[in-house]
Amino acid sequence: MLSAYIIHLLILIGIYLILCLSLQLALGYTGLLNLGHIAFYAIGAYTSALLTLSGVPFIVSFLMAGIVSALFGYLLAFSTNKLKGDYLALATLGFTFVIYAIALNWTDLTNGALGLAGIPKPDLGILQIKSNAFYLFFVSITAVFSYLIINKIVKSPFGKVLEAIRDDELAVRILGKNTFKIKNYSLAVSAFFAGIAGSLYAHYITFIDPSSFGFMQIIPILSIVIIGGIASLRGTVLATFVLVLLPEPLRFIGFPSSVVGPVRQIIYALMLLLILMYRPKGFYGKVSLE
Amino acid sequence: MSIFIQLLLNGLIAGAIYALVAAGFSLIYSTNKFIHFAHGVVVTFAAYFLYLMFAVLGINFCLSVIFTIICAGLLGWIINEFVYKTMRKRKASSVILLIASVALLILLESLILLFFGPSVKTINFLEGGIGVNIFGAMITSLQIVIIFIAIILFFGLWLFMKKTILGKAMRAVSNNKDVAEIVGISSKQIYAWSFIVGSSIAGIAGVLISMEQNLDPVMGTNLIIKGFTGSIIGGIGSVPGAIIGAFLLGLVEVLGIWFLPSGYKDAIAFIVLFMFLIFRPQGIFGKKDFSGKII
């Protein structure tokens, strides 16, 4: 029983890890203050769920979840590339609300507030992932690959250009780089991984509804990224483990779930607030958020 | 035709509520120069505080209202004193202040949810049942009261900004903080005062909203989005612009759900916001200075 619970937590950590690392790429490394990351997560989850429910093989819909999210990420970055700072933050936040409204109201496609039930567990052709232990293995491999790819990106010359854009966009443009294009790619890659995380979530829980993708859900992810440290992948990994596990003891103390939910949000929001007040770089951060 | 007038009236009522939120929000923005997203939860706080005083404790209505408005102003002051002031000392950028205010919004909303539970609450002070017929459209007496109070409040706010010393000092800081400091206006005090005045207006908004709608813990998010969008439409730095923008938003939304399912109401606001942010970030009445900065 306990080991099943630990496996469940580890799967959640794996999914959060992909989500937070991808936000780190956009927010920490490129300096795009994206408060709409949850929208990409939602797009990935819905794309993958809808495709598999209509009979598309899992591996195709898994990749499509990333690709469709990346497409939306590119479009969002493309249409907001003139905006900076707070204005970009609000435009991307708005994107979350629009996607949420669509998930809730386009009943023919998304089944509205009732959500999509009976999403099949992954079937990789040769082997089927039925047990949670096996699913954990699959999530871990995906998370490790995501880490390696994002790590490769930020260490590459392209990653250095991203960091230069964050520090001084005008200077990079003077050097002849098309910064708009680079930012579009960065957000697209970031959205791709968020979509993948969404797909993993949908096939794990096997049920999705709009309430999992509300605006409030950005707070845990944002807390992890900022507390771990801006532009630090190591910090993000560490913070994901700590922060996902942190509210868990509440369940053992025996609070009802109507208390655990708000208290969990309070913990995350309070931690985010305190870190912004006293150490805006985060624990392993190299730079301050501008 | 009567449907059109009905929609127009509904838009006007929605607009009045948004404008009440937008007025306080843009007052705070104009001096502090950052987006105080947690302004929405001050409105929620006021509405729940009134519920606690009037419906639970059974205190006289007028007294409860006065207490509520004072406490809302106090909450604004506390937020500024204990959160934003510390961050400003560290020279935090407006982006960090924005993220902090989003965290604050969620924090206070979760606290309200924890104390009052998720079920909707109602304050039955005025039964707005008796409708008045205007050209075939129905409007309740309560809604007429809301619109009137809103208009009187906006006129009072305008007088306050134009005629009083505090109002003039606020406009001075809003226009140019450094020059205002040179002539002896303490910008720190003005920041605090704009939080107090702005949050008190939010308190009034909370009182009016709690009479018209049911209370639910997350209504603040929705309200601040509408108030903020209204401010952007009108021009974020100017209080009258924000009020007109909020009324326009109310009308656009109501006319929008004539064509679309009503669930898309929030999405309409955001599409309008998106359009303005991209094509005219300074709003209808706002101006840009020579370097392209929005003033």
Side-chain angles (χ1 to χ4, degrees), chain A residues 33 79 86-87 90 94 105 277, chain B residues 35 82 90 228 263 270 277:
Chain A
L33 192 68
S79 54
D86 1 5
Y87 282 81
L90 286 160
N105 292 297
M277 279 166 75
Chain B
I35 294 162
F82 293 101
R90 306 183 70 100
F228 170 77
F270 257 114
L277 283 179

Side-chain angles (χ1 to χ4, degrees), chain A residues 23 28 34 38 66 93 95 120 135 149 165 173 189 192 208-209 215 222 237-238 245 252 254 269 282-283 288:
Chain A
L23 182 61
N34 175 14
I38 284 294
L93 187 67
F95 184 62
Y135 201 84
I149 293 170
I165 290 178
R173 222 180 298 161
V189 173
F192 176 85
I208 49 171
D209 68 339
F215 142 77
L222 208 57
V237 174
L238 207 66
L245 294 177
F252 292 113
F283 280 107
S288 246

Side-chain angles (χ1 to χ4, degrees), chain B residues 207-284:
Chain B
V207 169
L208 293 176
I209 291 164
S210 69
M211 291 196 284
E212 159 80 4
Q213 300 173 350
N214 295 331
L215 310 185
D216 92 83
V218 292
M219 67 186 198
T221 310
N222 201 13
L223 285 170
I224 188 60
I225 287 165
K226 301 302 165 60
F228 170 77
T229 308
S231 312
I232 290 282
I233 293 175
I236 190 163
S238 96
V239 179
I243 291 169
I244 296 170
F247 272 106
L248 283 176
L249 177 69
L251 291 173
V252 169
E253 266 189 5
V254 170
L255 295 179
I257 53 173
W258 203 356
F259 304 105
L260 282 168
S262 63
Y264 284 108
K265 209 170 127 191
D266 299 346
I268 293 171
F270 257 114
I271 289 160
V272 174
L273 174 64
F274 223 70
M275 292 296 172
F276 268 90
L277 283 179
I278 291 165
F279 296 112
R280 201 175 162 82
Q282 73 271 38
I284 298 173

Side-chain angles (χ1 to χ4, degrees), chain A residues 74-216:
Chain A
Y74 188 88
L75 284 176
L76 182 68
F78 182 77
S79 54
T80 58
N81 61 16
K82 271 181 173 174
L83 302 176
K84 275 201 195 95
D86 1 5
Y87 282 81
L88 179 68
L90 286 160
T92 50
L93 187 67
F95 184 62
T96 312
F97 281 90
V98 172
I99 294 295
Y100 180 78
I102 290 172
L104 199 59
N105 292 297
W106 193 355
T107 352
D108 296 341
L109 185 72
T110 64
N111 208 13
L114 296 175
L116 295 168
I119 303 162
K121 289 272 184 189
D123 179 356
L124 297 174
I126 23 170
L127 59 149
Q128 292 184 330
I129 299 175
K130 282 264 164 61
S131 74
N132 276 356
F134 205 40
Y135 201 84
L136 173 61
F137 181 65
F138 180 62
V139 170
S140 312
I141 288 186
T142 320
V144 168
F145 263 104
S146 308
Y147 178 86
L148 291 176
I149 293 170
I150 292 174
N151 192 35
K152 186 90 189 160
I153 291 172
V154 300
K155 295 270 155 52
S156 70
F158 180 74
K160 296 297 161 201
V161 177
L162 292 183
E163 291 202 62
I165 290 178
R166 177 196 64 209
D167 294 337
D168 193 341
E169 187 174 344
L170 191 62
V172 180
R173 222 180 298 161
I174 290 168
L175 291 174
K177 301 270 183 195
N178 185 346
T179 55
F180 292 140
K181 215 174 185 172
I182 296 168
K183 285 198 286 186
N184 293 350
Y185 288 146
S186 164
L187 198 63
V189 173
S190 164
F192 176 85
F193 285 105
I196 293 281
S199 169
L200 285 175
Y201 174 79
H203 290 276
Y204 173 56
I205 304 288
T206 68
F207 168 76
I208 49 171
D209 68 339
S211 73
S212 322
F213 307 107
F215 142 77
M216 279 196 177

Side-chain angles (χ1 to χ4, degrees), chain B residues 16-25 39-40 42-48 50 65 68-69 72 146 149-150 153-154 197-213 215 219 223:
Chain B
I17 288 174
Y18 299 161
L20 283 164
V21 180
F25 169 78
H39 190 70
V42 178
V43 181
T44 323
F45 166 81
Y48 271 90
L50 182 68
V65 167
T68 303
I69 294 168
I146 289 178
I149 293 181
L153 188 74
F154 297 146
V197 176
S199 302
S200 305
I201 298 171
I204 299 171
V207 169
L208 293 176
I209 291 164
S210 69
M211 291 196 284
E212 159 80 4
Q213 300 173 350
L215 310 185
M219 67 186 198
L223 285 170

Side-chain angles (χ1 to χ4, degrees), chain A residues 209-267:
Chain A
D209 68 339
S211 73
S212 322
F213 307 107
F215 142 77
M216 279 196 177
Q217 308 299 327
I218 192 70
I219 290 291
I221 305 171
L222 208 57
S223 309
I224 290 172
V225 169
I226 293 177
I227 290 171
I230 301 300
S232 158
L233 292 183
R234 196 176 49 152
T236 309
V237 174
L238 207 66
T240 310
F241 275 90
V242 175
L243 265 79
V244 173
L245 294 177
L246 197 65
E248 286 307 316
L250 287 173
R251 279 182 224 282
F252 292 113
I253 299 171
F255 284 125
S257 63
S258 65
V259 173
V260 171
V263 170
R264 196 172 156 261
Q265 288 289 354
I266 290 171
I267 292 174

